Amino acid sequence: MADRRTLRRTFTEDAALYDRARPHYPAGIFNDLDALAGTGPGCRVLEIGCGTGQATAPLAARGCEVVAVELGAEMAEVARRNLKGFPSVEVVNATVEEWPLPDEPFDLVFAATAFKWVDPEVRVAKAAAALRPGGALATVETHHVAGGTEAFFAEVQDYYERYDPETPEGLRLSPAYEVPRDSTEVDRSGLFGTAIFRRHELDISYTTSEYLDVLRTYSGHRALPPGTLAELLDCIGRLIDDRFRGRITKRYMFELRLAYRNRT
């Protein structure tokens, strides 16, 4: 299995595909942020791993002043194009571990499906250092959960067991309610209060080609040898076409975890 640093750089290999294929975050996430963190005009946000700006735009549209740090040069360039209508957004091409914090603290540190890729020895402490007392650290994780075209996701597992040796035998998606809420690293840091969780489920329908494009953006797929990946995708494509008439539905669960920095 490739290490974390290697896997996270796979996202930068085809920024245009990532921007086109990845699902956007549900509006409920940003409504939750409004209610819990007071996002709006004048709110200073540090975004970790902005990708192509899919989660940055809703924050900017609310009037937030966003500094978005993205390690991939290609991703950062696409983000700048996507966000050119928001003068309150600055996209920085750097790793958040090495990026020097500005003197003025932030009201919100935000990471959408990116926090797990930051060095675990650094991420919570650096987020706390970036925030004013009482400011919020908010992360969003995307979970693949049971639902949608369930027969497809059961059948496709045979192909993953055949082509990806890291796949556990008999693996099946869990329902959203079985996914544990995890605030261990935030709690252990002693830098934040009790974490708050909000969850949103979303079903997205894909044609065969659309779903294969999504798979091509996943780090675990991109880390496979090219020939193995091509064979895996060919099998998956034929399964969707032959058994499911060229269209399947996938269920996502987007989880917001938010904790306030201690005031002392």
Side-chain angles (χ1 to χ4, degrees):
M1 176 63 129
D3 63 23
R4 175 183 51 80
R5 286 183 175 271
T6 299
L7 286 174
R8 76 178 188 175
R9 291 192 178 277
T10 65
F11 296 114
T12 72
E13 294 169 352
D14 195 337
L17 175 64
Y18 187 98
D19 189 49
R20 182 180 75 250
R22 278 295 181 101
H24 287 225
Y25 298 95
I29 291 289
F30 302 98
N31 294 336
D32 290 339
L33 282 172
D34 284 345
L36 295 170
T39 51
C43 179
R44 281 178 47 78
V45 179
L46 169 60
E47 184 180 5
I48 295 172
C50 71
T52 61
Q54 290 184 348
T56 320
L59 292 171
R62 285 164 165 78
C64 296
E65 300 171 6
V66 185
V67 178
V69 179
E70 169 54 47
L71 71 87
E74 298 86 353
M75 287 281 201
E77 185 57 34
V78 174
R80 291 187 184 105
R81 292 200 300 269
N82 289 343
L83 299 165
K84 63 183 178 181
F86 299 107
S88 62
V89 175
E90 176 188 4
V91 178
V92 178
N93 179 208
T95 64
V96 72
E97 293 94 335
E98 299 170 354
W99 181 67
L101 293 174
D103 293 334
E104 185 178 357
F106 293 90
D107 302 301
L108 173 67
V109 172
F110 177 67
T113 322
F115 202 63
K116 65 185 176 184
W117 299 111
V118 181
D119 186 344
E121 299 297 321
V122 172
R123 57 196 180 203
V124 174
K126 187 145 191 180
L131 287 166
R132 61 169 175 80
L137 167 61
T139 64
V140 177
E141 288 299 329
T142 304
H143 298 274
H144 309 288
V145 296
T149 311
E150 293 191 334
F152 164 75
F153 290 101
E155 292 183 37
V156 79
Q157 201 60 33
D158 291 340
Y159 298 134
Y160 282 100
E161 292 180 19
R162 183 189 310 171
Y163 290 105
D164 183 358
E166 300 289 336
T167 302
E169 185 176 354
L171 181 67
R172 293 294 182 268
L173 293 172
S174 299
Y177 66 82
E178 290 186 0
V179 178
R181 291 170 170 82
D182 185 6
S183 61
T184 303
E185 68 172 347
V186 174
D187 296 339
R188 286 179 177 171
S189 75
L191 299 169
F192 292 88
T194 303
I196 300 166
F197 292 88
R198 297 288 185 269
R199 289 178 161 185
H200 300 269
E201 292 182 48
L202 181 65
D203 284 352
I204 299 180
S205 182
Y206 295 103
T207 65
T208 303
S209 61
E210 289 169 343
Y211 188 64
L212 296 182
D213 275 350
V214 171
L215 295 182
R216 290 185 180 97
T217 71
Y218 292 157
S219 60
H221 291 68
R222 298 189 70 88
L224 292 172
T228 302
L229 177 59
E231 291 182 29
L232 172 61
L233 295 180
D234 180 65
C235 287
I236 294 172
R238 284 190 281 109
L239 175 63
I240 298 173
D241 285 338
D242 295 345
R243 288 272 291 109
F244 299 95
R245 299 182 179 180
R247 181 175 291 274
I248 55 97
T249 298
K250 184 175 180 63
R251 179 167 297 173
Y252 297 89
M253 189 267 282
F254 299 90
E255 180 183 74
L256 172 67
R257 183 189 69 187
L258 183 143
Y260 301 104
R261 182 192 154 183
N262 294 335
R263 293 184 180 275
T264 57

